[in-house]
Amino acid sequence: MMKTALVVGASGIVGSATAALLVQEGWTVHGLSRRPGAQEGVQPVAADLQDAAGTRAALAGLHPDAVFITTWLRQDSEAENIRVNSAMVRNLLDGLDDDGATRHVALVTGLKHYLGPFEAYGKGALPQTPFREEQGRLDVENFYYAQEDAVFAAAARDGFSWSVHRPHTVIGKAVGNAMNMGTTLAVYATLCRETGRPFRFPGSTAQWEGLTDMTDAGQLARHLLWATTTPEAANQDFNIVNGDIFRWQWMWGRIAEWFGVEPAPFDGTMMPLETQMANDGALWAEIAAREGLVEADLSRLASPWHTDADLGRPIEVVTDMSKSRRMGFTAYRPTDDAFYDLFAQLRADRIIP
């Protein structure tokens, strides 16, 4: 039985959920991040994966059965994304003691595998939805592909199995995360309620009217654990979503109701959150001081640019889960429940009032 894990990016949305699940399941968990925070049951490992020597030193003496890679660093260009993020994966896997202890490495990427990187997002010839794993790679440079190749090369060298996990937009809790739609929408709704501003859907008609899906961080964590402990899932790539589909014209009203605000009618005009929330930093600081919130820096909670990218897509995005289902992964998570549970947790933890 594999029972010792190294979770890379343990302070992020996916990493923290994965670490918590592994602890719950009785694993010994080491959580690697640049600035580890306190996580119940997780042994912190401080390392900057861009520093090969420092990473090797930080990993000395660790012998994880399984490694979960849930982190990346955004750069100014895709060429830099490729250079930096592939090097981080190589430094990590090169830094592990070469004693054969590591039996599985799970890598989390995402649907930009099918949609293209930020510089060519949703452009050119895209595969037909719902996205399926056998559709393969686009003919474009993509740092997800470079991360995969780094894992594949290390697996061939060191003899461990691997799995690649491609979530849609992830719903989960983390402060200071670069891609955080759930908390961004929670903060936006709070600001609208505070000021009386309309709670406007910021995105495209295609997203408002079309079908979509999402991935709860807990659902992704269960998928990572399943693939790591299921022999048939070894050396496979997988899509991972909640299992339901919805339209934002329905979900927007559900979110508005939870926060006690009226959803504004959608007229087809895109109104990006990056613009709507551009001057809200001082207001959020006032709300945080008045309500005794734990984070007064709006930029550490909301990532409007990423939410705008998701909600502004000009195409419908739906993901097929048949490959995992056929192999026995049957977990399901209604997406509105995932939002509600996140909002309740944010309120309980004094992140939102």
Side-chain angles (χ1 to χ4, degrees):
M1 290 290 291
M2 288 188 285
K3 280 295 183 178
T4 302
L6 174 64
V7 179
V8 182
S11 60
I13 291 177
V14 177
S16 60
T18 302
L21 176 63
L22 292 167
V23 169
Q24 179 184 317
E25 294 294 318
W27 287 56
T28 298
V29 180
H30 303 273
L32 185 152
S33 57
R34 281 175 293 173
R35 292 177 293 275
Q39 294 173 270
E40 186 174 355
V42 178
Q43 301 176 32
V45 179
D48 180 352
L49 295 181
Q50 296 183 82
D51 178 354
T55 297
R56 180 176 291 277
L59 295 176
L62 294 185
H63 305 278
D65 299 308
V67 178
F68 301 88
I69 305 174
T70 71
T71 189
W72 69 285
L73 284 178
R74 188 187 183 198
Q75 305 299 311
D76 291 335
S77 68
E78 192 59 19
E80 279 298 288
N81 277 331
I82 290 168
R83 184 186 67 80
V84 170
N85 288 284
S86 62
M88 287 168 59
V89 174
R90 286 193 302 273
N91 291 342
L92 169 71
L93 298 178
D94 291 349
L96 291 170
D97 287 338
D98 186 17
D99 57 4
T102 300
R103 295 158 57 191
H104 188 84
V105 173
L107 171 68
V108 177
T109 61
L111 293 196
K112 286 189 288 295
H113 181 93
Y114 307 106
L115 287 163
F118 291 116
E119 292 179 3
Y121 192 66
K123 299 175 182 177
L126 299 178
Q128 187 178 47
T129 57
F131 295 136
R132 294 179 171 85
E133 294 90 346
E134 63 265 24
Q135 290 168 325
R137 296 180 174 184
L138 301 175
D139 186 19
V140 62
E141 294 297 310
N142 189 322
F143 81 88
Y144 283 167
Y145 306 161
Q147 286 183 306
E148 289 181 349
D149 289 342
V151 170
F152 300 159
R157 178 192 68 203
D158 296 336
F160 56 75
S161 62
W162 55 266
S163 56
V164 174
H165 304 256
R166 300 180 187 132
H168 199 164
T169 303
V170 177
I171 305 169
K173 181 198 165 193
V175 174
N177 192 275
M179 301 191 297
N180 195 338
M181 179 188 285
T183 303
T184 298
L185 293 181
V187 168
Y188 175 58
T190 300
L191 289 165
C192 289
R193 187 178 62 203
E194 173 80 11
T195 61
R197 285 167 12 199
F199 185 60
R200 299 182 183 275
F201 180 74
S204 67
T205 300
Q207 289 303 301
W208 180 254
E209 296 179 349
L211 293 171
T212 194
D213 49 28
M214 294 184 74
T215 306
D216 176 70
Q219 172 84 338
L220 176 51
R222 288 188 289 273
H223 195 253
L224 287 162
L225 179 56
W226 164 80
T228 297
T229 56
T230 301
E232 294 79 12
N235 305 326
Q236 299 287 334
D237 53 355
F238 297 103
N239 298 329
I240 168 60
V241 288
N242 287 335
D244 64 341
I245 55 175
F246 63 91
R247 302 180 200 275
W248 274 106
Q249 59 184 268
W250 175 80
M251 186 67 77
W252 199 250
R254 303 278 285 176
I255 293 173
E257 183 180 14
W258 199 94
F259 284 95
V261 296
E262 284 293 321
F266 179 67
D267 64 3
T269 303
M270 293 181 64
M271 300 188 66
L273 291 180
E274 197 162 22
T275 300
Q276 291 193 55
M277 300 173 69
N279 300 312
D280 285 336
L283 175 58
W284 184 260
E286 291 176 13
I287 296 171
R290 186 187 72 213
E291 301 291 339
L293 304 183
V294 299
E295 182 53 71
D297 184 349
L298 181 63
S299 68
R300 286 182 49 76
L301 297 178
S303 50
W305 68 271
H306 184 261
T307 299
D308 287 338
D310 277 359
L311 299 183
R313 294 172 183 149
I315 57 173
E316 179 179 277
V317 179
V318 184
T319 316
D320 183 76
M321 277 282 291
S322 297
K323 186 174 182 179
S324 292
R325 301 298 189 219
R326 289 189 180 106
M327 290 187 178
F329 182 80
T330 58
Y332 170 83
R333 183 81 161 113
T335 300
D336 48 345
D337 286 356
F339 273 123
Y340 297 160
D341 288 350
L342 171 64
F343 299 155
Q345 184 181 9
L346 294 174
R347 183 166 286 173
D349 293 344
R350 304 304 303 157
I351 293 174
I352 61 172

